[in-house]
Coordinates of all heavy atoms in Angstrom, one line a residue:
M1 N 90.8 81.6 87.0 CA 90.7 82.4 88.2 C 92.1 83.1 88.3 O 93.2 82.4 88.2 CB 90.5 81.4 89.4 CG 90.3 82.2 90.7 SD 89.6 81.1 92.0 CE 90.9 80.2 92.6
S2 N 92.1 84.3 88.8 CA 93.3 85.1 89.0 C 94.0 84.6 90.3 O 93.4 84.4 91.3 CB 93.2 86.5 88.9 OG 92.3 86.9 90.0
R3 N 95.3 84.8 90.3 CA 96.1 84.5 91.6 C 96.1 85.6 92.5 O 96.1 86.7 92.0 CB 97.5 84.0 91.1 CG 97.5 82.8 90.4 CD 98.9 82.3 90.1 NE 99.6 83.0 89.1 CZ 100.8 83.0 88.8 NH1 101.6 81.8 89.3 NH2 101.5 83.7 87.9
S4 N 96.2 85.2 93.9 CA 96.3 86.3 94.8 C 97.7 87.1 94.7 O 98.6 86.5 94.1 CB 96.0 85.7 96.2 OG 97.2 85.0 96.6
D5 N 97.8 88.2 95.3 CA 99.1 88.9 95.4 C 100.1 88.0 96.0 O 101.2 87.8 95.6 CB 99.0 90.2 96.1 CG 98.1 91.2 95.4 OD1 98.0 91.0 94.2 OD2 97.6 92.2 96.1
G6 N 99.8 87.4 97.2 CA 100.6 86.5 97.9 C 101.1 85.3 97.0 O 102.3 84.9 97.0
E7 N 100.3 84.7 96.2 CA 100.6 83.7 95.3 C 101.5 84.1 94.2 O 102.4 83.4 93.9 CB 99.3 83.0 94.7 CG 98.4 82.2 95.7 CD 97.1 81.8 95.1 OE1 96.7 82.5 94.3 OE2 96.7 80.8 95.5
L8 N 101.2 85.3 93.7 CA 102.2 85.8 92.7 C 103.5 86.2 93.3 O 104.5 85.9 92.6 CB 101.6 87.1 92.1 CG 100.3 87.0 91.3 CD1 99.7 88.3 90.8 CD2 100.6 86.3 90.1
M9 N 103.6 86.6 94.5 CA 104.9 87.0 95.1 C 105.7 85.7 95.4 O 106.8 85.7 95.0 CB 104.6 87.7 96.3 CG 105.9 88.2 96.9 SD 106.8 89.4 95.8 CE 108.3 89.7 96.7
V10 N 104.9 84.6 95.7 CA 105.7 83.3 95.8 C 106.2 82.9 94.5 O 107.3 82.4 94.3 CB 104.8 82.3 96.6 CG1 105.3 80.9 96.5 CG2 104.5 82.7 98.0
A11 N 105.3 83.0 93.4 CA 105.7 82.6 92.1 C 107.0 83.3 91.7 O 107.8 82.9 91.1 CB 104.5 82.7 91.1
F12 N 106.9 84.6 91.9 CA 108.0 85.6 91.7 C 109.3 85.0 92.4 O 110.5 85.1 91.8 CB 107.8 86.9 91.9 CG 108.9 87.9 91.7 CD1 109.5 88.0 90.6 CD2 109.4 88.7 92.8 CE1 110.7 88.8 90.3 CE2 110.4 89.7 92.6 CZ 111.1 89.6 91.4
Q13 N 109.2 84.7 93.7 CA 110.3 84.2 94.4 C 110.9 83.0 93.8 O 112.1 82.8 93.9 CB 110.0 83.9 95.9 CG 109.7 85.1 96.7 CD 109.1 84.8 98.2 OE1 108.4 84.0 98.3 NE2 109.6 85.5 99.2
E14 N 110.2 82.2 93.2 CA 110.4 81.1 92.5 C 111.0 81.3 91.1 O 111.3 80.2 90.4 CB 109.3 79.9 92.6 CG 109.0 79.6 94.0 CD 107.7 78.7 94.1 OE1 107.0 78.6 93.0 OE2 107.6 78.3 95.2
G15 N 111.0 82.5 90.6 CA 111.6 82.7 89.2 C 110.5 83.2 88.2 O 111.0 83.3 87.2
D16 N 109.4 83.2 88.5 CA 108.3 83.6 87.6 C 108.2 85.1 87.3 O 107.7 85.9 88.1 CB 107.0 83.2 87.9 CG 105.8 83.4 87.0 OD1 106.0 84.1 86.0 OD2 104.8 82.9 87.4
Q17 N 109.0 85.6 86.3 CA 109.0 87.0 86.0 C 107.6 87.7 85.6 O 107.4 88.8 85.8 CB 110.0 87.3 84.8 CG 111.4 86.9 85.1 CD 112.0 87.5 86.4 OE1 111.9 88.8 86.5 NE2 112.6 86.8 87.3
E18 N 106.8 86.9 85.0 CA 105.4 87.3 84.7 C 104.6 87.7 86.0 O 103.8 88.6 85.9 CB 104.8 86.3 83.9 CG 103.3 86.7 83.5 CD 103.2 87.8 82.5 OE1 104.2 88.0 81.8 OE2 102.2 88.5 82.5
A19 N 104.8 86.9 87.1 CA 104.2 87.2 88.2 C 104.7 88.7 88.8 O 103.8 89.4 89.2 CB 104.6 86.2 89.3
F20 N 105.9 89.0 88.5 CA 106.3 90.4 89.0 C 105.6 91.4 88.2 O 105.1 92.4 88.7 CB 107.9 90.5 88.9 CG 108.4 91.7 89.3 CD1 108.6 92.1 90.8 CD2 108.6 92.7 88.4 CE1 109.1 93.3 91.0 CE2 109.3 93.9 88.8 CZ 109.3 94.3 90.2
A21 N 105.5 91.1 86.9 CA 104.9 92.1 86.1 C 103.4 92.3 86.5 O 102.8 93.4 86.4 CB 104.9 91.6 84.6
L22 N 102.7 91.2 86.9 CA 101.3 91.3 87.2 C 101.1 92.0 88.6 O 100.3 92.9 88.7 CB 100.7 89.9 87.4 CG 100.5 89.2 86.2 CD1 100.1 87.7 86.5 CD2 99.4 89.8 85.3
L23 N 102.1 91.9 89.5 CA 102.2 92.6 90.7 C 102.3 94.1 90.4 O 101.7 94.9 91.0 CB 103.2 92.2 91.6 CG 102.9 90.8 92.2 CD1 104.1 90.3 93.0 CD2 101.8 90.8 93.3
Y24 N 103.3 94.4 89.5 CA 103.4 95.8 89.2 C 102.1 96.4 88.6 O 101.8 97.6 89.0 CB 104.5 95.8 88.0 CG 104.8 97.3 87.7 CD1 105.7 98.0 88.2 CD2 104.2 97.9 86.6 CE1 105.9 99.4 88.1 CE2 104.5 99.2 86.2 CZ 105.2 99.9 87.0 OH 105.5 101.3 86.6
D25 N 101.5 95.8 87.7 CA 100.3 96.2 87.0 C 99.2 96.4 88.1 O 98.4 97.4 88.0 CB 99.8 95.3 86.0 CG 100.7 95.1 84.7 OD1 101.5 96.2 84.5 OD2 100.5 94.2 84.0
R26 N 99.1 95.6 89.1 CA 98.0 95.7 90.0 C 98.4 96.8 91.1 O 97.4 97.5 91.6 CB 98.0 94.3 90.9 CG 97.3 93.3 90.2 CD 97.2 92.1 91.1 NE 96.7 90.9 90.4 CZ 96.5 89.8 91.1 NH1 96.7 89.6 92.2 NH2 96.0 88.8 90.2
H27 N 99.7 97.1 91.3 CA 99.9 98.1 92.5 C 100.6 99.3 92.2 O 100.8 100.1 93.0 CB 100.7 97.3 93.6 CG 99.9 96.2 94.1 ND1 98.9 96.4 95.0 CD2 99.9 94.9 93.9 CE1 98.4 95.1 95.4 NE2 99.0 94.3 94.7
A28 N 101.1 99.6 91.0 CA 101.8 100.8 90.6 C 101.1 102.1 90.7 O 101.6 102.9 91.4 CB 102.4 100.6 89.2
R29 N 99.8 101.9 90.4 CA 99.0 103.2 90.6 C 98.8 103.6 92.0 O 98.9 104.7 92.4 CB 97.7 103.1 89.8 CG 96.7 104.2 90.0 CD 95.4 104.2 89.3 NE 95.9 105.0 88.1 CZ 95.3 105.1 86.9 NH1 94.3 104.3 86.7 NH2 95.7 105.8 86.0
A30 N 98.6 102.5 92.8 CA 98.3 102.9 94.3 C 99.6 103.5 94.9 O 99.5 104.4 95.8 CB 97.9 101.7 95.0
L31 N 100.8 102.9 94.5 CA 101.9 103.4 95.0 C 102.3 104.8 94.5 O 102.7 105.8 95.2 CB 103.1 102.6 94.5 CG 103.6 101.4 95.5 CD1 104.7 100.6 94.9 CD2 103.8 101.9 96.9
L32 N 102.0 105.1 93.2 CA 102.0 106.3 92.6 C 101.3 107.3 93.4 O 101.8 108.5 93.8 CB 101.8 106.4 91.1 CG 101.9 107.6 90.4 CD1 103.4 108.2 90.4 CD2 101.4 107.6 89.0
N33 N 100.1 107.0 93.8 CA 99.2 108.0 94.4 C 99.7 108.1 95.8 O 99.7 109.3 96.3 CB 97.7 107.4 94.5 CG 97.0 107.5 93.2 OD1 97.4 108.3 92.3 ND2 96.1 106.6 93.0
F34 N 100.2 107.2 96.4 CA 100.7 107.2 97.8 C 102.0 108.2 97.8 O 101.9 109.2 98.7 CB 101.3 105.8 98.2 CG 102.0 105.8 99.5 CD1 101.5 105.9 100.8 CD2 103.5 105.5 99.5 CE1 102.2 105.8 102.0 CE2 104.2 105.4 100.7 CZ 103.5 105.6 101.9
F35 N 102.8 108.2 97.0 CA 104.0 109.0 96.8 C 103.5 110.4 96.5 O 104.1 111.5 96.9 CB 105.0 108.5 95.9 CG 105.7 107.3 96.5 CD1 105.9 106.0 95.8 CD2 106.4 107.4 97.8 CE1 106.6 105.0 96.4 CE2 107.1 106.2 98.3 CZ 107.1 105.1 97.5
Y36 N 102.6 110.6 95.5 CA 102.3 111.9 95.1 C 101.5 112.6 96.3 O 101.8 113.8 96.4 CB 101.2 111.8 93.8 CG 100.8 113.1 93.4 CD1 101.8 113.9 92.6 CD2 99.7 113.7 93.7 CE1 101.3 115.1 92.2 CE2 99.3 114.9 93.3 CZ 100.3 115.7 92.3 OH 99.9 116.9 92.0
K37 N 100.8 112.0 97.1 CA 100.1 112.6 98.2 C 101.2 113.1 99.3 O 101.0 114.0 100.1 CB 99.1 111.7 98.9 CG 97.9 111.6 98.0 CD 97.0 110.4 98.7 CE 95.8 110.4 97.7 NZ 94.8 109.4 98.3
M38 N 102.3 112.5 99.2 CA 103.5 112.9 100.1 C 104.3 114.1 99.6 O 104.8 114.9 100.4 CB 104.4 111.7 100.3 CG 103.8 110.6 101.2 SD 104.8 109.1 101.2 CE 106.2 109.8 102.0
C39 N 104.5 114.1 98.3 CA 105.4 115.1 97.8 C 104.7 116.0 96.7 O 105.3 117.1 96.6 CB 106.5 114.5 97.1 SG 106.2 113.5 95.7
Y40 N 103.6 115.8 96.2 CA 103.0 116.6 95.2 C 103.8 116.9 93.9 O 103.8 118.1 93.5 CB 102.3 118.0 95.8 CG 101.3 117.6 96.8 CD1 101.6 117.8 98.2 CD2 100.0 117.3 96.4 CE1 100.5 117.3 99.0 CE2 99.0 117.0 97.3 CZ 99.3 117.0 98.6 OH 98.3 116.8 99.6
D41 N 104.6 116.0 93.6 CA 105.6 116.1 92.5 C 105.4 114.8 91.7 O 105.9 113.8 92.1 CB 107.0 116.3 93.0 CG 108.0 116.6 91.9 OD1 107.7 116.0 90.8 OD2 108.9 117.3 92.0
R42 N 104.7 114.9 90.5 CA 104.5 113.7 89.7 C 105.7 113.0 89.3 O 105.8 111.8 89.5 CB 103.6 114.1 88.5 CG 103.4 112.9 87.7 CD 101.9 112.5 87.7 NE 101.7 111.4 86.7 CZ 100.9 110.4 86.7 NH1 100.2 110.5 87.8 NH2 100.8 109.5 86.0
A43 N 106.7 113.7 88.8 CA 108.0 113.0 88.4 C 108.6 112.3 89.6 O 109.2 111.2 89.5 CB 108.8 114.1 87.7
L44 N 108.7 113.0 90.7 CA 109.3 112.4 91.9 C 108.4 111.2 92.5 O 109.1 110.1 92.7 CB 109.5 113.5 93.1 CG 110.1 112.9 94.3 CD1 111.4 112.3 94.0 CD2 109.9 113.9 95.4
A45 N 107.1 111.3 92.4 CA 106.3 110.2 92.7 C 106.6 109.0 91.8 O 106.7 107.7 92.2 CB 104.8 110.5 92.7
E46 N 106.7 109.2 90.5 CA 107.0 108.1 89.5 C 108.4 107.6 89.8 O 108.6 106.3 89.8 CB 107.0 108.6 88.1 CG 105.5 109.1 87.6 CD 105.5 109.8 86.3 OE1 106.6 110.1 85.8 OE2 104.4 110.0 85.8
D47 N 109.4 108.3 90.1 CA 110.7 107.8 90.5 C 110.6 106.9 91.7 O 111.3 105.8 91.8 CB 111.7 108.9 90.7 CG 112.2 109.5 89.4 OD1 111.8 108.9 88.3 OD2 112.7 110.7 89.5
L48 N 110.0 107.4 92.7 CA 109.8 106.6 93.9 C 109.1 105.4 93.6 O 109.4 104.3 94.3 CB 109.2 107.4 95.0 CG 110.0 108.7 95.6 CD1 109.1 109.6 96.4 CD2 111.1 108.2 96.3
T49 N 108.1 105.3 92.9 CA 107.4 104.1 92.6 C 108.3 103.0 92.0 O 108.3 101.9 92.3 CB 106.1 104.4 91.6 OG1 105.3 105.3 92.3 CG2 105.4 103.3 91.3
Q50 N 109.1 103.5 91.0 CA 110.0 102.6 90.4 C 111.1 102.1 91.4 O 111.5 100.9 91.2 CB 110.7 103.4 89.1 CG 109.8 103.7 87.9 CD 109.1 102.5 87.3 OE1 109.8 101.5 87.1 NE2 107.8 102.5 87.0
D51 N 111.6 103.0 92.1 CA 112.6 102.6 93.2 C 112.0 101.6 94.1 O 112.6 100.7 94.5 CB 112.9 103.8 94.0 CG 113.9 104.7 93.2 OD1 114.4 104.3 92.1 OD2 114.1 106.0 93.8
T52 N 110.7 101.7 94.4 CA 110.0 100.7 95.3 C 110.0 99.4 94.7 O 110.3 98.4 95.4 CB 108.7 101.2 95.7 OG1 108.8 102.5 96.3 CG2 107.9 100.2 96.6
F53 N 109.6 99.3 93.4 CA 109.6 98.0 92.7 C 111.0 97.5 92.5 O 111.2 96.2 92.5 CB 108.8 98.1 91.3 CG 107.3 98.1 91.6 CD1 106.5 99.2 91.7 CD2 106.7 96.9 91.8 CE1 105.2 99.0 92.0 CE2 105.4 96.7 92.1 CZ 104.6 97.8 92.1
L54 N 112.0 98.3 92.3 CA 113.3 97.8 92.3 C 113.8 97.2 93.6 O 114.4 96.1 93.7 CB 114.3 99.0 91.9 CG 115.9 98.5 91.8 CD1 116.0 97.4 90.8 CD2 116.5 99.8 91.4
K55 N 113.4 97.7 94.7 CA 113.7 97.4 96.1 C 112.9 96.1 96.3 O 113.4 95.2 96.9 CB 113.4 98.4 97.0 CG 114.3 99.6 97.2 CD 113.8 100.5 98.3 CE 114.7 101.8 98.3 NZ 114.2 102.8 99.2
L56 N 111.7 96.0 95.9 CA 110.9 94.8 95.9 C 111.6 93.6 95.2 O 111.7 92.4 95.7 CB 109.5 95.0 95.4 CG 108.6 93.8 95.4 CD1 108.3 93.4 96.8 CD2 107.3 94.1 94.7
L57 N 112.1 93.9 94.0 CA 112.7 92.9 93.3 C 113.9 92.3 94.1 O 114.2 91.2 94.1 CB 113.3 93.5 92.0 CG 113.8 92.5 91.0 CD1 113.1 92.7 89.7 CD2 115.4 92.7 90.8
R58 N 114.8 93.3 94.8 CA 115.9 92.9 95.4 C 115.6 92.3 96.7 O 116.4 91.4 97.3 CB 116.7 94.2 95.6 CG 117.4 94.7 94.5 CD 118.2 96.0 94.8 NE 118.8 96.4 93.5 CZ 119.2 97.7 93.5 NH1 119.1 98.6 94.4 NH2 119.8 98.1 92.3
S59 N 114.5 92.6 97.4 CA 114.2 92.0 98.6 C 113.2 90.9 98.7 O 112.5 90.5 99.7 CB 113.7 93.1 99.6 OG 112.6 93.7 99.1
R60 N 113.0 90.3 97.4 CA 111.9 89.3 97.3 C 111.9 88.2 98.3 O 111.0 87.6 98.6 CB 111.7 88.9 95.9 CG 112.9 88.0 95.4 CD 112.8 87.8 93.8 NE 114.0 87.2 93.4 CZ 114.8 87.9 92.7 NH1 114.6 89.2 92.5 NH2 116.0 87.4 92.1
G61 N 113.1 87.8 98.7 CA 113.4 86.8 99.5 C 113.0 86.9 101.0 O 112.8 86.0 101.7
K62 N 112.7 88.2 101.3 CA 112.3 88.5 102.6 C 110.7 88.4 102.9 O 110.2 88.3 104.0 CB 112.6 89.9 103.0 CG 114.2 90.1 103.1 CD 114.4 91.5 103.4 CE 116.0 91.7 103.5 NZ 116.2 93.2 103.7
Y63 N 110.0 88.3 101.7 CA 108.6 88.1 101.7 C 108.2 86.8 102.3 O 108.8 85.8 102.0 CB 107.8 88.4 100.4 CG 106.4 88.0 100.5 CD1 105.6 89.0 101.0 CD2 105.9 86.9 100.0 CE1 104.2 88.8 101.1 CE2 104.5 86.7 100.1 CZ 103.7 87.7 100.6 OH 102.3 87.4 100.7
R64 N 107.2 86.8 103.2 CA 106.7 85.4 103.8 C 105.3 85.4 103.5 O 104.5 86.3 103.6 CB 106.8 85.4 105.3 CG 108.2 85.5 105.8 CD 109.0 84.2 105.5 NE 110.5 84.4 105.8 CZ 111.3 84.4 104.8 NH1 111.1 84.3 103.4 NH2 112.7 84.5 105.0
P65 N 104.8 84.2 102.8 CA 103.4 84.1 102.3 C 102.4 84.3 103.4 O 101.2 84.6 103.1 CB 103.4 82.6 101.9 CG 104.9 82.2 101.6 CD 105.7 82.9 102.5
E66 N 102.7 84.1 104.6 CA 101.6 84.4 105.6 C 101.4 85.9 105.9 O 100.5 86.2 106.5 CB 101.9 83.7 106.9 CG 103.3 84.0 107.7 CD 104.5 83.2 107.0 OE1 104.3 82.5 106.2 OE2 105.6 83.6 107.6
A67 N 102.2 86.7 105.4 CA 102.0 88.2 105.6 C 101.3 88.7 104.3 O 101.2 88.2 103.3 CB 103.4 88.8 105.6
S68 N 100.7 89.8 104.5 CA 100.0 90.5 103.6 C 101.0 91.0 102.4 O 101.9 91.8 102.8 CB 99.1 91.6 104.1 OG 98.7 92.6 103.2
F69 N 100.8 90.8 101.3 CA 101.6 91.3 100.2 C 101.6 92.8 100.2 O 102.6 93.6 100.1 CB 101.4 90.9 98.8 CG 102.2 91.6 97.8 CD1 103.4 91.3 97.7 CD2 101.6 92.5 97.0 CE1 104.3 92.0 96.6 CE2 102.4 93.3 96.1 CZ 103.7 93.0 95.9
K70 N 100.4 93.4 100.4 CA 100.2 95.0 100.2 C 100.9 95.6 101.4 O 101.6 96.5 101.2 CB 98.7 95.3 100.2 CG 98.6 96.7 99.8 CD 97.0 96.8 99.5 CE 96.8 98.2 98.8 NZ 95.5 98.4 98.6
T71 N 100.8 95.0 102.6 CA 101.6 95.5 103.8 C 103.1 95.5 103.6 O 103.8 96.4 103.7 CB 101.2 94.7 105.0 OG1 99.7 94.8 105.2 CG2 101.9 95.3 106.1
F72 N 103.5 94.3 103.0 CA 105.0 94.2 102.7 C 105.4 95.4 101.6 O 106.4 96.0 101.9 CB 105.2 92.8 102.2 CG 106.6 92.6 101.8 CD1 107.6 92.4 102.9 CD2 107.1 92.4 100.5 CE1 108.9 92.1 102.5 CE2 108.4 92.2 100.1 CZ 109.3 92.0 101.2
L73 N 104.7 95.5 100.5 CA 104.9 96.4 99.5 C 105.1 97.8 100.1 O 105.8 98.6 99.8 CB 103.9 96.3 98.4 CG 104.1 97.3 97.3 CD1 105.3 97.1 96.6 CD2 102.9 97.2 96.3
F74 N 104.1 98.3 100.9 CA 104.2 99.6 101.3 C 105.1 99.9 102.6 O 105.5 100.9 102.7 CB 102.7 100.1 101.8 CG 101.9 100.4 100.7 CD1 101.1 99.6 100.0 CD2 101.8 101.8 100.3 CE1 100.3 100.0 98.9 CE2 101.1 102.3 99.3 CZ 100.2 101.3 98.4
T75 N 105.4 98.7 103.1 CA 106.5 98.8 104.2 C 107.9 99.1 103.3 O 108.7 100.0 103.6 CB 106.8 97.6 105.0 OG1 105.5 97.3 105.7 CG2 107.9 97.5 105.9
V76 N 108.2 98.4 102.3 CA 109.3 98.6 101.3 C 109.1 100.1 100.9 O 110.2 100.8 100.9 CB 109.3 97.7 100.2 CG1 110.3 98.0 99.1 CG2 109.6 96.2 100.7
A77 N 108.0 100.6 100.6 CA 107.8 102.0 100.0 C 108.2 103.0 101.1 O 108.9 103.9 100.9 CB 106.4 102.2 99.5
R78 N 107.6 102.8 102.4 CA 108.0 103.7 103.3 C 109.4 103.7 103.7 O 109.9 104.8 104.1 CB 107.2 103.3 104.6 CG 105.8 103.9 104.5 CD 105.1 103.8 106.0 NE 105.3 102.5 106.4 CZ 104.4 101.5 106.2 NH1 103.3 101.6 105.4 NH2 104.6 100.4 106.8
N79 N 110.1 102.6 103.6 CA 111.5 102.6 104.1 C 112.4 103.1 102.8 O 113.5 103.5 103.1 CB 112.0 101.2 104.4 CG 111.3 100.6 105.6 OD1 110.9 101.4 106.6 ND2 111.2 99.3 105.7

């Protein structure tokens, strides 16, 4: 059975790098589409997607399991 996004984020907070890779695989396309719809520039959307995951990596300690991971991710993206 696959783990939820929240479970993966908690595992990542505990040092599981594979969990971060799975989160990236699950959500990179949605973020790319989100940014592309804002700027209509594929290269910029790709850069913003990568920046968002870098920020997620740096702010992983702020995630709380009772919150929706997707909401947390898109809040990081918007900021």
Side-chain angles (χ1 to χ4, degrees):
M1 185 165 81
S2 66
R3 297 187 286 178
S4 71
D5 293 338
E7 291 170 331
L8 288 171
M9 189 63 187
V10 169
F12 174 56
Q13 286 175 318
E14 295 170 352
D16 182 351
Q17 298 301 312
E18 181 64 26
F20 183 78
L22 289 170
L23 288 169
Y24 180 87
D25 291 342
R26 285 185 186 179
H27 297 284
R29 172 169 268 162
L31 272 179
L32 180 65
N33 289 336
F34 171 75
F35 287 125
Y36 184 76
K37 288 177 184 178
M38 291 174 61
C39 66
Y40 295 103
D41 181 328
R42 175 110 179 149
L44 179 57
E46 289 171 353
D47 287 346
L48 292 170
T49 299
Q50 292 300 316
D51 287 347
T52 299
F53 278 98
L54 181 59
K55 287 179 186 176
L56 179 65
L57 190 133
R58 291 179 179 156
S59 64
R60 65 183 172 263
K62 295 179 182 179
Y63 175 74
R64 299 292 172 247
E66 57 275 357
S68 163
F69 172 77
K70 196 168 188 177
T71 300
F72 180 73
L73 178 64
F74 278 87
T75 299
V76 171
R78 276 192 310 274
N79 292 335

